Amino acid sequence: MNSLFQAAAAAAAGGNLAAAAQLQGLGSSYAAFVGSGASVAVTGIDPGLICGSKGLCPPPPGQATSPGTRFPLPVPCPPSAAVGTLTCTPFGVGLAALPTSFVPLASLRGNFPVTEKTSLWSARLDQHWNNNNNSFLRVSVSPSLVTGIQTTAQNQVFGQNSGSRTGVNQSRDLSAIFQHDTIVSDKAVNQFRFQFARRGLHFGFSHFPGGDQVAVSIPGFAYFGREPYSPVNRIERRTEFTDNVSLIRGNHTFKMGGDYNLIQLRTSKAQIFELDFGGLAEFGGESISVASGGLIPNSVTVGPGQTISLPGTNGAQMYGLGLPTIYIQGIGQSKQPFDNQPMGFFFQDGWRVNRKLTLNYGVRYDVEITPLFAAATPLNAAAERALGVLEGLPRDYDNVAPRFGLAWDPKGDGKTVIRAGYGLFYDHPLLAIPFDATTADGGRSVQLITGGGAPSACPLAQIACGAGLGSPGNLNGSSIFQGVLNALPSMGYLPNQQRFDPLFANSLFANQNYLQAGFPLGALPFTLPVARNFQYGSAQQGNLTIEREIAGSWKISAGYQYTHGVHLYRPVDINSTDPRLLDQNFANCLGGVAGGLATALSCSPSPAGVSLTGASVAPTASTCGFNAIAPVLGVIIGCPGPLGFLNNQFVSTAAAFNFFRPSGPNPSFAGPNAANYALLVGLAQLAGYPKGFGVPVPFNTVDTQLSNGNSVYHGLTINVTKRFSHGIELLSSYTYSHSIDDSTDLQSPLEPQDSRFPNVERSNSDNDQRHRWVTSAVFQSPSAKQGDSAWKHFTGDFTLAPIIEVSSGRPYTLILGTDFRLDLGASNGRPSVGTGGAPSNFIRGTTFTVPTNCLTNAGTPFSVPGITTLGAGCDGNLGRNPYVTPGFFQFDLRLSRRFAMGERVKLDVIADGFNLLNRQNIAAVNQLCNPTDPSGCLAAGQPTAAYDARQFQFALKLSF
């Protein structure tokens, strides 16, 4: 901005007063725009600068420009009408008052309390029937209440969550275990166990102010509002039967057995899991041209070969402007109870070949009768078959896992032991996977997701409206968040809560009512299904350890461990958008508007917002023409000379073709019950867009749980141990390890940067930790005896136990926080590394630029001048997990003294100190880096949270 004013001064000094005035005005407009966004974000006050700055408010302004509690951008609206938080002027434009749920960032400063109240109660009854039969019954109860729980469910980092974004976990665990042991003979033993366990769980949103309001995510700045993954109200019941038999035959010890579990998920509430039911608005930085709707350019030429680039906005400024990147809302019914029945059987043999060698080998077989859910509607059933997905968890019947191990004493003197082992181990998938699949099925329980778009209070039908235009595209994140959506009554919109009523009776969005009504829903629901070919994850584990006694009570060991995981779970959007088609459609729209087609085309600020008015325009000698083949598709014709390259180029309403996803057109644009879907498919074929799979697919993002991830781990461990003797015990362990994978978790926010190319995510694992050294010791002074000196009585029975841990940091990834990739999903995009980019104060020697890898679905580069150069539709060339957090060091110490109180009673006085040196150990860092603003990466890598500071703990232990 200073560069603009300096250029204006230079132009004035050179006598070019017109250029000086233009540059001065542009600088003032830029300052008014970003300053207004920052002011509303921090204080909730609009200073009234945007409508008071030349060129930024449609004439006539029609509204006072004095400071007020409102969003600063003018919103088109029906003249003189009241819509949500906005009262429209007679000129068809107005300013939206801040909804009552809006939270100024300044009010979030400060700490919040964290509490935990957990009790453990247990009782045990043992019964000795006779010498061959023994039983016991143990019953335990554990009520617990924990508040202030921070999660990373939306990629947030610790230290950026407000108290309102935390959760409350309330549980009551009850378990009863009965076990009966029978000694059949001196070589045969049977063990039977029965268990019943019940957990009542409530995970709710915070009770702090704002904890029940719409959730807001501003990566790098703040996360507040209702925890998106709450409330959860469920009752889990587990009934388990286990029977194991041990037999000794010669040098063989055989063990075999099996277990059966019945796991039941129930609830006494109306819902089990209200995913995103409170609404979620995500904000990220944008280029100034996109943020301002084209009113302010990204750069300006001030002289021959001299261009000034204007910084983009950051996420906090976009929050103040009321322009989210993505808006998500859960609506509908999540009460889907189910049963799961895991079973397992094993056989193993321990064979003592001779006194030097023992072999252990066996096999285990696991199978589960997993929950499977019927699709909510016939349309969903056909779409899920076409996509190769389902709701539930496919059953896997071939999980046979062999194991082998040996222990060898080469010399037979007990001083050297070589141990080796190999095994195949199968995972039991989390039951959250099948439950999420039916909770977000796009039918019963809907997850709406929409881009930010331009705010508008105009109707959702294509009719004239004040300074704007009625359009289904007005159902977007900005309209919802600003409280100005001109919603239909059947939507259950709550403008002062910046969301829809998730439990609204007969909501237009639930049960695919919008399809039956023929309402064109620009952003279809996203789903979280499971691949039909899903397999259980497994890991091959091998290890080799050599252990040697070196002197008396001292021994040393060195071990190598290898783990190779296959069929690991990871979320991938198998219905991702086509960025090349989005960019080209956007370029054609911009070119058409430049060629005189503003009455036919609406280009919005981003490629996803392109739409048609339905009008045809005849060409002239100086302007292009437009042939509207259908209300959602047309072709540019008759462009003169310099615009001739636009001839025969298609332009379409991107939402009508589901943003060019593989599943084909959006069936909600095909009339009631998608009756005209075949016509939409024909239009897609004509324009060269994806035609789909032959059936209507009422989903946009399809975040599918795949099982094609893999990992590898190599670890070398060296241990030095001294057994307790002469009052000293010592254990020192060092591990060097390397963990590599292509996905670490199954949460949808952790999907790949580009779901079309998930394999390029292979990198150091989130859990990779190269070095870790832990040393612990126990020093114990001998007890004093009768007749010993007073000093020996004073110093006797002390125990000193230090623990020292030194470890390297863990990897982290930088994210843009903005949807450059145009996949309209979780903002997992990464920046590119390049010269002349934005620096970081915490990652030295590297600068970051907007994404530069622009790839077609086939993986080949593409370019759309003026669009891909801004990163639109592109991926960053920065890999996953390239940086490492600072290392960890901690010194803990326990000091205790035992006092004998007679022959049978002893009292221990214990003092524990944790992190005695009070070192700041970093727990999380800022991962935001958005190069559209030169300062947008300065804080990348900056610590945002630390592990506990120095703590002391005191205890008394009475033994009798």
Side-chain angles (χ1 to χ4, degrees):
M1 184 175 67
N2 289 333
S3 299
L4 285 175
F5 292 133
Q6 292 168 2
N16 191 344
L17 299 182
Q22 181 184 9
L23 293 171
Q24 183 76 26
L26 182 59
S28 298
S29 296
Y30 178 86
F33 191 84
V34 298
S36 296
S39 176
V40 176
V42 176
T43 67
I45 301 296
D46 170 29
L49 299 176
I50 289 182
C51 277
S53 295
K54 183 179 179 180
L56 286 185
C57 195
Q63 199 140 20
T65 56
S66 58
T69 54
R70 60 180 178 244
F71 288 109
L73 294 179
V75 176
C77 49
S80 303
V83 181
T85 62
L86 180 147
T87 299
C88 195
T89 70
F91 308 101
V93 65
L95 295 175
L98 294 183
T100 55
S101 56
F102 184 87
V103 179
L105 298 182
S107 67
L108 299 175
R109 293 176 177 172
N111 299 320
F112 55 85
V114 177
T115 62
E116 179 175 1
K117 299 177 182 178
T118 301
S119 301
L120 302 172
W121 304 85
S122 65
R124 173 168 171 151
L125 175 65
D126 288 87
Q127 174 66 40
H128 178 71
W129 303 99
N130 53 47
N131 289 339
N132 293 333
N133 292 275
N134 295 278
S135 302
F136 77 80
L137 174 65
R138 184 172 67 239
V139 179
S140 60
V141 178
S142 178
S144 177
L145 174 64
V146 183
T147 68
I149 300 172
Q150 296 189 70
T151 72
T152 58
Q154 294 295 322
N155 283 347
Q156 65 263 43
V157 297
F158 293 144
Q160 294 179 0
N161 290 313
S162 79
S164 63
R165 192 61 175 265
T166 61
V168 176
N169 193 87
Q170 186 172 11
S171 64
R172 183 181 297 274
D173 293 338
L174 167 67
S175 67
I177 299 175
F178 171 77
Q179 179 173 312
H180 182 78
D181 298 323
T182 300
I183 302 175
V184 181
S185 69
D186 59 348
K187 296 183 178 181
V189 176
N190 186 84
Q191 182 184 83
F192 170 79
R193 180 183 297 138
F194 168 79
Q195 176 184 213
F196 174 79
R198 181 190 185 277
R199 161 168 281 195
L201 175 69
H202 167 75
F203 178 74
F205 45 78
S206 171
H207 300 312
F208 297 127
D212 61 344
Q213 300 298 330
V214 63
V216 173
S217 297
I218 314 175
F221 292 91
Y223 296 83
F224 54 95
R226 176 168 159 175
E227 163 59 47
Y229 288 15
S230 70
V232 178
N233 291 290
R234 68 175 186 257
I235 298 171
E236 302 170 13
R237 301 191 189 100
R238 176 187 290 267
T239 305
E240 179 181 14
F241 297 90
T242 303
D243 195 78
N244 297 321
V245 177
S246 299
L247 301 173
I248 299 176
R249 295 292 185 269
N251 292 335
H252 295 267
T253 299
F254 300 104
K255 294 182 179 180
M256 63 201 77
D259 63 88
Y260 167 81
N261 289 265
L262 172 61
I263 302 171
Q264 298 173 303
L265 183 73
R266 301 290 188 268
T267 188
S268 59
K269 305 294 184 180
Q271 303 273 351
I272 294 180
F273 181 21
E274 297 183 23
L275 176 62
D276 293 318
F277 274 32
L280 170 64
E282 298 184 0
F283 294 85
E286 292 284 4
S287 68
I288 191 64
S289 175
V290 170
S292 67
L295 295 175
I296 302 176
N298 291 321
S299 61
V300 59
T301 301
V302 297
Q306 185 180 2
T307 300
I308 296 177
S309 296
L310 298 182
T313 57
N314 60 39
Q317 291 163 342
M318 295 295 283
Y319 172 65
L321 294 169
L323 303 176
T325 303
I326 295 290
Y327 188 94
I328 302 173
Q329 167 90 59
I331 296 172
Q333 177 54 256
S334 69
K335 190 172 183 178
Q336 295 293 318
F338 63 81
D339 295 344
N340 186 52
Q341 301 177 67
M343 291 168 276
F345 309 91
F346 77 94
F347 172 84
Q348 72 177 53
D349 176 22
W351 178 22
R352 185 175 174 85
V353 181
N354 52 48
R355 67 183 186 88
K356 297 181 180 181
L357 177 64
T358 299
L359 302 179
N360 290 281
Y361 45 89
V363 64
R364 180 176 179 87
Y365 175 70
D366 288 285
V367 64
E368 290 189 52
I369 309 302
T370 53
L372 293 169
F373 302 96
T377 65
L379 185 62
N380 271 23
E384 289 172 1
R385 284 194 298 270
L387 289 164
V389 300
L390 51 72
E391 299 174 33
L393 198 62
R395 294 167 183 172
D396 199 345
Y397 295 102
D398 59 354
N399 295 340
V400 178
R403 288 95 187 264
F404 174 80
L406 66 83
W408 179 40
D409 181 353
K411 294 185 177 181
D413 58 3
K415 294 188 175 182
T416 301
V417 178
I418 299 175
R419 295 184 174 90
Y422 168 83
L424 179 62
F425 300 85
Y426 283 93
D427 183 37
H428 289 270
L430 293 175
L431 292 180
I433 292 178
F435 184 73
D436 285 350
T438 190
T439 296
D441 68 342
R444 288 175 294 252
S445 184
V446 174
Q447 292 290 309
L448 294 177
I449 181 170
T450 177
S456 176
C458 289
L460 304 180
Q462 288 187 330
I463 59 175
C465 171
L469 179 70
S471 167
N474 293 334
L475 175 55
N476 59 50
S478 298
S479 300
I480 298 168
F481 188 77
Q482 292 196 22
V484 300
L485 179 67
N486 200 328
L488 301 177
S490 58
M491 291 179 175
Y493 179 53
L494 305 171
N496 269 303
Q497 296 183 30
Q498 302 170 284
R499 62 189 177 197
F500 300 99
D501 180 352
L503 306 178
F504 189 73
N506 297 316
S507 167
L508 179 71
F509 305 116
N511 300 311
Q512 295 174 343
N513 291 333
Y514 64 91
L515 280 176
Q516 299 170 30
F519 177 80
L521 190 61
L524 292 167
F526 74 82
T527 62
L528 302 172
V530 181
R532 287 183 179 271
N533 60 356
F534 184 92
Q535 298 185 53
Y536 283 21
S538 63
Q540 298 182 58
Q541 297 184 10
N543 62 80
L544 173 65
T545 302
I546 301 175
E547 185 177 298
R548 172 69 181 177
E549 181 183 301
I550 51 179
S553 60
W554 292 83
K555 66 179 180 180
I556 186 172
S557 67
Y560 166 75
Q561 181 171 334
Y562 166 82
T563 303
H564 177 44
V566 296
H567 299 303
L568 303 185
Y569 320 133
R570 60 175 174 179
V572 174
D573 179 9
I574 63 171
N575 197 35
S576 190
T577 60
D578 187 325
R580 183 187 66 82
L581 290 176
L582 281 167
D583 281 353
Q584 189 61 60
N585 192 53
F586 188 43
N588 294 344
C589 183
L590 293 175
V593 170
L597 299 179
T599 59
L601 308 177
S602 174
C603 301
S604 185
S606 102
V610 175
S611 63
L612 310 187
T613 66
S616 291
V617 177
T620 69
S622 60
T623 62
C624 298
F626 188 73
N627 178 21
I629 303 170
V632 295
L633 178 70
V635 63
I636 299 173
I637 58 174
C639 292
L643 298 175
F645 69 94
L646 290 169
N647 285 324
N648 301 318
Q649 294 295 311
F650 288 96
V651 185
S652 64
T653 297
F657 295 93
N658 206 4
F659 308 103
F660 313 116
R661 300 176 187 272
S663 59
N666 181 336
S668 72
F669 282 76
N673 295 309
N676 298 319
Y677 185 71
L679 176 60
L680 268 183
V681 172
L683 294 174
Q685 184 173 10
L686 176 66
Y689 302 157
K691 297 178 296 182
F693 311 120
V695 297
V697 176
F699 317 134
N700 61 22
T701 296
V702 182
D703 264 331
T704 306
Q705 287 298 329
L706 304 181
S707 57
N708 59 359
N710 67 85
S711 67
V712 63
Y713 170 88
H714 300 275
L716 173 65
T717 301
I718 298 176
N719 293 325
V720 176
T721 305
K722 181 188 183 303
R723 297 191 306 275
F724 186 79
S725 64
H726 305 292
I728 300 175
E729 181 181 15
L730 176 71
L731 171 62
S732 185
S733 175
Y734 168 76
T735 300
Y736 171 81
S737 63
H738 190 188
S739 178
I740 301 172
D741 64 22
D742 48 25
S743 181
T744 300
D745 208 340
L746 54 80
Q747 297 178 22
S748 58
L750 295 179
E751 66 185 31
Q753 173 181 219
D754 192 330
S755 282
R756 299 173 303 160
F757 312 111
N759 292 335
V760 302
E761 297 294 291
R762 188 168 179 80
S763 68
N764 297 328
S765 167
D766 289 359
N767 298 320
D768 181 43
Q769 189 175 49
R770 298 299 172 86
H771 305 277
R772 188 169 186 263
W773 175 61
V774 180
T775 295
S776 62
V778 176
F779 302 94
Q780 194 173 79
S781 61
S783 302
K785 303 180 181 62
Q786 188 174 4
D788 285 343
S789 66
W791 176 251
K792 200 161 188 177
H793 276 277
F794 176 75
T795 59
D797 288 321
F798 271 99
T799 299
L800 187 68
I803 301 177
I804 300 173
E805 179 179 349
V806 182
S807 58
S808 54
R810 297 180 186 272
Y812 67 92
T813 300
L814 295 184
I815 61 172
L816 292 160
T818 299
D819 185 22
F820 278 89
R821 161 61 182 82
L822 303 177
D823 59 4
L824 308 182
S827 298
N828 292 331
R830 302 190 286 266
S832 282
V833 175
T835 59
S840 166
N841 289 334
F842 300 88
I843 303 173
R844 302 296 186 182
T846 303
T847 60
F848 304 94
T849 69
V850 298
T852 53
N853 283 354
C854 312
L855 304 174
T856 67
N857 288 347
T860 57
F862 76 92
S863 174
V864 179
I867 297 176
T868 53
T869 50
L870 300 177
C874 306
D875 300 325
N877 63 22
L878 181 67
R880 172 174 166 259
N881 286 337
Y883 305 114
V884 179
T885 59
F888 180 94
F889 173 81
Q890 184 158 309
F891 174 62
D892 302 334
L893 183 68
R894 164 172 285 197
L895 177 64
S896 66
R897 172 72 156 86
R898 169 165 289 187
F899 297 91
M901 304 172 67
E903 294 185 359
R904 297 187 177 183
V905 180
K906 295 180 176 62
L907 176 68
D908 289 300
V909 180
I910 303 168
D912 291 313
F914 304 98
N915 193 12
L916 274 178
L917 302 182
N918 204 30
R919 184 180 190 272
Q920 184 185 58
N921 289 306
I922 303 304
V925 299
N926 189 348
Q927 297 175 239
L928 179 69
C929 175
N930 190 335
T932 56
D933 178 358
S935 63
C937 295
L938 289 178
Q942 180 180 20
T944 59
Y947 293 107
D948 291 334
R950 181 191 294 125
Q951 292 183 335
F952 292 101
Q953 175 178 285
F954 302 95
L956 296 175
K957 180 180 178 182
L958 185 66
S959 304
F960 56 91

